[in-house]
Amino acid sequence: QTKTFSRAPVSGKPLFIAPIGRSWEDFVAESRRHGWPSFRGAEVVWENVRVLGNGETISTDGTHLGHNLPDGKGARYCINLVSVAGHNPTGGDDDDDSDATPPAAPA
């Protein structure tokens, strides 16, 4: 199954891995419906992401990522694409992280 990795633009830390618990098609459809990548709680790398009291979602490095906009299915983390960046851990010229090893899911 295809997975996308979103990483912090400065540190390269993983922030989101999707899809988890749903199909790629469902992830893309929901993201398109809302106009930005929409991640669910299981897709957040919590060791690198925080949600402030006002719903603002930030990286632990302090980068603004977007907002938690809950819907009928629960928390939905709507992320601004300009706030995340591809990061190639092998140093090549691609930015899609297709060669990256996903981090362990939070316990």
Side-chain angles (χ1 to χ4, degrees):
Q1 180 172 348
T2 302
K3 292 204 190 254
T4 184
F5 301 85
S6 297
R7 295 184 178 271
V10 176
S11 68
K13 293 176 184 174
L15 302 171
F16 304 95
I17 302 170
I20 295 176
R22 58 183 169 161
S23 71
W24 175 254
E25 292 77 16
D26 288 344
F27 168 73
V28 170
E30 181 175 49
S31 295
R32 285 186 178 159
R33 193 168 47 253
H34 295 292
W36 45 67
S38 296
F39 297 95
R40 296 296 175 167
E43 298 167 329
V44 179
V45 180
W46 289 110
E47 66 190 53
N48 300 322
V49 176
R50 298 291 178 266
V51 180
L52 304 180
N54 64 0
E56 180 182 6
T57 304
I58 62 170
S59 72
T60 55
D61 297 323
T63 303
H64 171 84
L65 302 174
H67 293 88
N68 175 18
L69 301 172
D71 63 9
K73 297 178 185 176
R76 180 171 49 93
Y77 303 93
C78 300
I79 304 305
N80 302 324
L81 282 177
V82 297
S83 300
V84 295
H87 174 77
N88 182 2
T90 62
D93 61 2
D94 69 316
D95 285 337
D96 70 357
D97 276 351
S98 59
D99 53 353
T101 301

